[in-house]
Amino acid sequence: MPHLDLRAESVGFEHTELIPLCEITQRVIDGEIIVVPRCMQAIGYFEQLKQASLEGIRRVVGQEKAAQVEREGFEAIHSVIDADELIPITDCTYEIFGSIAPILVKKVVQEVLLRDRPFYYEAYPNVRFHVPYDVGVQKKQKFSEFLQRRGNGKITAHGPHHDSWYQCPSNGINIWIAIGPVKTGNGLSLYPQVYGKRLPCTKDGVIMRDQYFGPALNFELKPGDALVFHGEHLHSSELNSTGTTRHVVSFRITLEKPKFLNQSCHNYLYSGSSGGLMEGLVQLPAAKMFRSLVRLLQSRLNTKFLTLGRQSSPSQQGSETNSDVPMFQNTLVDFPKTIQAKSAEDKTKLIFDSSELTIGEIRPLSPEVCVARPEKHRVVAFSRYCPHEGADLAAGYLRDGCIACPWHNLPFDLENGASPCQSLRQLPVFDCLQRGDEVEVNLGA
């Protein structure tokens, strides 16, 4: 039976609804996004997760730095550990979480999703240490080498994507757990407006700039909170514009056989092979339990759930190809329409009728310029492409008096184009002269 203090909330732009645990699975499949506050504490596993992360730090950089991180919190990890050390720490922590995944995931599925039947889970949970962008950009080359092995989203921001773009199952469920605090500005973005659609991407898995997916839904989580959502929800990382590191671990599961759109390198294991491992461990102190658990798992290395190779083909994992999922559903038709403008003879000004622009709206004015109306009597104009990775800001949105990038939710000041990331150049903002509904945008010489 679930613990009495375990509860779930369905979260949207305009609602937060308390729901029964028995409804989580179906609601997630239907596209709802669920937050389970203090999930790991409620099922008795938060301290084990924390100790697993600290063990990864301890093995790479020693007890002294691990103790400092424990005292100051994972949000301070970038001030304790050099960015060069973060890569081997992430690799080490991956292996540790891989060793405890069979037990941990089963417990979450049983007590949160209320499912006793076997399921499938990704052998290696995703360990994510997102340091502030201004810290990580200094190690861009080293991080690039790491990303070639581990993929996007582990220590740097991931652009909008469906999990199936990256050979993950199309019927996957994400369980995204905060180990340290998650704040607006370093968390996760989901785009509910396009749930049920599979948007096109480049061959490298980058969202097309002409796709429109609406504003992002973002979350603030406390350590131990869990975010549960379908893997085909379009989602991305926020570019870490805060002064804190965000540390989370995420598990991908499927309740039925994993359905891959094509061949996959991901290894999904069957939970029915791992019964009984928790006996005698739950009541141990966290650190001792962790060491005992690792020894127990090591003693069972020849069992089915640990011997499947990470590069196994789907046929070896009991998975199947999903022919029911459409390849792509283009949202170009929903992209904001360009406002017609005329150019001054010297090409330094664009003139347009602002009556077409509603309050809170961003529209493209030219291939290089966007305009927005943050208030009834105010129009602003700015460069169309984000200085970070070139996202088209015509698909962005206004939030808290700023222009928000549609890819990573990075805010830019309406007055001067500055963002919280000091190492990024400012977004060019153009002077506007208003004469009634007519607006003249000065592009400069």
Side-chain angles (χ1 to χ4, degrees):
M1 293 292 294
H3 291 254
L4 294 179
D5 57 350
L6 192 61
R7 60 190 178 89
E9 300 170 350
S10 174
V11 179
F13 286 112
E14 299 179 354
H15 81 279
T16 298
E17 175 191 1
L18 193 65
I19 66 169
L21 297 184
C22 62
E23 295 183 9
I24 290 178
T25 299
Q26 188 58 52
R27 285 179 179 247
V28 167
I29 292 171
D30 291 341
E32 293 188 43
I33 300 160
I34 309 298
V35 174
V36 185
R38 292 181 59 81
C39 176
M40 292 298 105
Q41 291 90 338
I43 66 174
Y45 273 79
F46 178 70
E47 193 62 29
Q48 285 77 12
L49 289 180
K50 176 181 170 182
Q51 290 299 325
S53 292
L54 290 171
E55 178 66 16
I57 295 171
R58 188 177 297 114
R59 290 183 188 181
V60 176
V61 296
Q63 173 59 31
E64 184 176 344
K65 286 190 174 182
Q68 187 177 351
V69 170
E70 186 168 18
R71 287 194 305 271
E72 299 182 16
F74 290 107
E75 61 269 33
I77 195 171
H78 62 281
S79 63
V80 178
I81 293 169
D82 186 80
D84 286 342
E85 298 170 327
L86 191 60
I87 294 173
I89 285 172
T90 302
D91 282 332
C92 183
T93 310
Y94 247 88
E95 300 304 319
I96 293 171
F97 272 101
S99 70
I100 66 176
I103 297 166
L104 176 61
V105 181
K106 187 172 184 179
K107 191 71 171 178
V108 172
V109 171
Q110 285 178 337
E111 297 219 23
V112 179
L113 302 186
L114 302 185
R115 182 184 176 95
D116 291 322
R117 288 179 293 164
F119 58 93
Y120 296 81
Y121 63 95
E122 192 172 21
Y124 285 81
N126 290 280
V127 177
R128 307 176 190 276
F129 293 98
H130 275 213
V131 298
Y133 178 80
D134 289 333
V135 174
V137 74
Q138 302 170 23
K139 303 294 181 180
K140 186 175 181 179
Q141 182 57 44
K142 286 184 177 293
F143 282 6
S144 295
E145 295 168 1
F146 173 84
L147 296 178
Q148 290 177 4
R149 292 187 292 108
R150 290 291 188 191
N152 290 320
K154 308 304 185 292
I155 54 179
T156 58
H158 201 320
H161 65 285
H162 305 285
D163 282 350
S164 60
W165 283 0
Y166 297 94
Q167 301 178 320
C168 295
S170 61
N171 60 335
I173 292 174
N174 276 306
I175 303 169
W176 202 82
I177 300 167
I179 310 300
V182 177
K183 302 170 60 176
T184 299
N186 70 11
L188 188 71
S189 294
L190 287 106
Y191 305 90
Q193 183 170 317
V194 292
Y195 182 69
K197 297 181 179 180
R198 189 167 183 269
L199 277 60
C201 62
T202 69
K203 61 181 179 60
D204 299 318
V206 176
I207 187 79
M208 308 294 285
R209 289 201 302 194
D210 62 3
Q211 297 300 296
Y212 183 72
F213 29 89
L217 186 62
N218 303 101
F219 310 85
E220 292 205 347
L221 304 176
K222 296 179 180 179
D225 291 357
L227 186 66
V228 187
F229 62 97
H230 200 287
E232 288 303 87
H233 250 301
L234 193 74
H235 58 285
S236 71
S237 313
E238 290 187 87
L239 193 68
N240 192 342
S241 57
T242 73
T244 61
T245 293
R246 182 257 277 174
H247 177 37
V248 301
V249 60
S250 63
F251 300 88
R252 295 190 185 104
I253 67 165
T254 66
L255 299 178
E256 310 299 337
K257 287 183 179 181
K259 295 182 178 181
F260 296 97
L261 299 183
N262 43 48
Q263 293 295 302
S264 175
C265 64
H266 293 285
N267 186 10
Y268 275 70
L269 310 177
Y270 185 60
S271 69
S273 303
S274 58
L277 290 180
M278 282 308 299
E279 295 179 7
L281 291 178
V282 174
Q283 302 304 320
L284 290 175
K288 187 174 181 181
M289 174 182 173
F290 175 77
R291 292 191 294 271
S292 299
L293 179 56
V294 170
R295 285 196 296 270
L296 177 57
L297 288 167
Q298 288 173 339
S299 72
R300 298 192 176 188
L301 284 176
N302 290 324
T303 61
K304 179 182 177 182
F305 71 93
L306 286 178
T307 53
L308 290 172
R310 295 184 70 183
Q311 299 300 322
S312 301
S313 69
S315 61
Q316 291 174 293
Q317 302 165 39
S319 60
E320 58 189 46
T321 299
N322 184 6
S323 59
D324 299 327
V325 177
M327 288 306 295
F328 291 118
Q329 291 171 291
N330 199 305
T331 61
L332 174 59
V333 66
D334 299 319
F335 199 88
K337 301 298 185 257
T338 299
I339 294 178
Q340 296 301 311
K342 58 183 180 180
S343 178
E345 290 184 7
D346 61 1
K347 308 297 184 184
T348 63
K349 296 181 179 64
L350 291 173
I351 302 165
F352 72 99
D353 181 356
S354 66
S355 64
E356 295 185 46
L357 195 60
T358 60
I359 297 174
E361 186 179 36
I362 296 177
R363 296 270 295 275
L365 188 64
S366 76
E368 303 297 331
V369 178
C370 284
V371 290
R373 186 188 291 277
E375 303 161 12
K376 182 176 181 180
H377 299 295
R378 183 185 178 201
V379 173
V380 295
F382 47 92
S383 178
R384 188 164 168 172
Y385 299 105
C386 178
H388 174 226
E389 288 188 349
D392 191 340
L393 297 178
Y397 38 92
L398 297 177
R399 176 177 287 176
D400 299 326
C402 293
I403 304 151
C405 173
W407 286 8
H408 299 106
N409 202 39
L410 182 65
F412 295 94
D413 188 276
L414 288 169
E415 296 290 342
N416 57 22
S419 79
C421 296
Q422 299 300 309
S423 53
L424 279 176
R425 66 180 177 84
Q426 292 182 322
L427 177 73
V429 176
F430 307 111
D431 291 333
C432 291
L433 177 62
Q434 296 183 234
R435 302 185 187 91
D437 286 337
E438 184 179 88
V439 176
E440 181 180 278
V441 179
N442 186 357
L443 303 178

